[in-house]
Amino acid sequence: MVYALGFVLFALGITISIALHECGHMWTAQATGMKVRRYFIGFGPKVFSFRRGETEYGLKALPLGGFCDIAGMTVLDELEPEEIDRAMYRQAAWKRLVVMSGGIAMNFVLGYILIVILALGWGLPRLAQPPATALGNSSCVSQQKPDGTTEPCTGDGPAQRAGLQRGDVVKSVNGVQVQTWKQFQTETQKQTGPFTYTIDRNGQTLTVPVTPERVVRYPEGGGAGREVSAVGVGPDFNDPPVRSGVLAALPDSAVFTADMSVRTVQSLAQLPQKVGALWTAVTGGERDAETPVSVYGASKIGGETAEHGLWNIFILVLASLNFFLGAFNILPLLPLDGGHIAVVIYERIRDAFRRWRGLAPGTPVDYLKLLPATYVVVVIGGAYMLLTLAADIVNPIKLF
């Protein structure tokens, strides 16, 4: 029940984020004197609508987005006689840039507000994660029961006796290089006697001999146990966040937002490289946790975090989604906002050169000539979204 509630709330949060993105366009268009004909949440058949002033507001059956219909967004739009002077393409360049940037700015503002809520309610986590093979706290080695629970133990474990410390980054296990925690576990468990770890400790490379203990471990989901080696250490982790006061939350959240925005742009640049990992996930391979998720996948994560009572992660994921929406729309590709912004900037630069040559300003860009490139972006983007959705259905990212 809690999972379903979290799933629905996250999906609703995505819908609100998209609706506010369109509000950013609508409010800036109205403020700069343009005519907004329609503002709708969703697509498909109309559920209801009402008119206030010159704008029709409404809801459509499929709440998978929204749109804001501004008169004369391009020269291709059909205009009523009274709309010609207010057509968007006839307005000053700065007004058009403000309107097209309004939705992007709204996503970043909404993300910042969510981060402030996170700072006040739970504290801001550290975005920089420890290396995958960094060692955390050490303890004694427990025997595992068939039901998955462990028996109590006392004393120091092999890792403690060997002098391993939290923050040590394991580079190899008995000469075998490891890059993930799963590889570290596998190589450690297969050892049958004393062996060595090659570690990085504060930039210094050390070789540490370790004598493991033999224990029984059972596979997830049941099955026969097997004897393996263990050293009594877990992966490193970030310390719990500390809640900010009201005055400190605003600047702390601004710095955190800037850091998240940079990371979002970096992850956006890596999207083409994730096609192979998504295809691997769809065809039965292991799902890379760094691959993108669809609206369904994000909502599923929202449901899981709610089910475990981790509302701070729920808010953080929703905030990161807003940063992604904002950054994605900056891309200079039609039909994205960034594509329209690129057209305005092109027209300004072109007209500046024409004035320098003593010529009159050129005509508005012919969007018909840009339609083939737009169709290519739509097809590729749609295929990427379907691949991501398929991966989220057949092989979703598991947080727990």
Side-chain angles (χ1 to χ4, degrees), residues 263-264 266-282 286-293 324 383-385 387-389 391 397:
R263 291 172 181 270
T264 300
Q266 292 172 342
S267 65
L268 195 62
Q270 297 173 359
L271 282 182
Q273 304 172 20
K274 300 297 183 181
V275 173
L278 285 170
W279 181 253
T280 299
V282 170
E286 185 178 354
R287 178 73 184 269
D288 182 358
E290 298 298 323
T291 50
V293 294
F324 179 83
Y384 198 102
M385 290 173 61
L387 179 62
T388 305
L389 177 61
I397 292 176

Side-chain angles (χ1 to χ4, degrees), residues 42 62 92 145 168 179 186 216 220 227 239 266 276 291 303 315-316 318 344 362:
L62 301 175
K145 299 178 182 179
D168 289 344
Q179 297 179 331
T186 301
V216 176
E220 293 183 11
E227 191 178 62
D239 293 320
Q266 292 172 342
T291 50
I315 293 174
L316 182 62
L318 187 57
V344 176

Side-chain angles (χ1 to χ4, degrees), residues 21 25 100-101 103-104 107-108 261 264-272 323-345 373-374 377-378 380-381 384:
H21 175 97
H25 294 311
M100 297 315 303
S101 302
I104 297 171
N107 283 128
F108 282 101
S261 299
T264 300
V265 172
Q266 292 172 342
S267 65
L268 195 62
Q270 297 173 359
L271 282 182
F323 295 137
F324 179 83
L325 286 173
F328 184 73
N329 272 284
I330 295 175
L331 294 177
L333 303 170
L334 290 171
L336 301 177
D337 297 338
H340 292 282
I341 291 172
V343 167
V344 176
I345 293 174
T374 303
V377 172
V378 170
I380 294 176
Y384 198 102

Side-chain angles (χ1 to χ4, degrees), residues 105-186:
M106 184 62 71
N107 283 128
F108 282 101
V109 169
L110 181 56
Y112 171 72
I113 291 172
L114 289 169
I115 294 301
V116 171
I117 294 172
L118 181 65
L120 292 172
W122 293 271
L124 298 177
R126 289 181 57 188
L127 289 177
Q129 296 297 316
T133 57
L135 303 181
N137 295 331
S138 302
S139 67
C140 56
V141 175
S142 299
Q143 291 287 346
Q144 189 178 34
K145 299 178 182 179
D147 62 1
T149 61
T150 56
E151 298 177 355
C153 65
T154 58
D156 292 340
Q160 291 169 307
R161 293 193 293 268
L164 291 170
Q165 302 175 8
R166 179 185 174 186
D168 289 344
V169 180
V170 179
K171 296 298 184 180
S172 65
V173 179
N174 219 28
V176 178
Q177 291 188 348
V178 292
Q179 297 179 331
T180 67
W181 188 258
K182 186 174 182 179
Q183 291 173 344
F184 166 82
Q185 275 188 315
T186 301

Side-chain angles (χ1 to χ4, degrees), residues 2-7 9 300-311 313-314 400:
V2 177
Y3 171 84
L5 176 63
F7 186 98
L9 285 178
K300 189 175 183 299
I301 291 173
E304 290 178 354
T305 55
E307 185 177 33
H308 287 77
L310 300 175
W311 292 101
I313 298 180
F314 182 99
F400 306 98

Side-chain angles (χ1 to χ4, degrees), residues 61-79:
L62 301 175
L64 302 177
F67 65 92
C68 172
D69 177 17
I70 303 172
M73 283 191 67
T74 73
V75 72
L76 300 178
D77 286 0
E78 293 185 7
L79 298 171

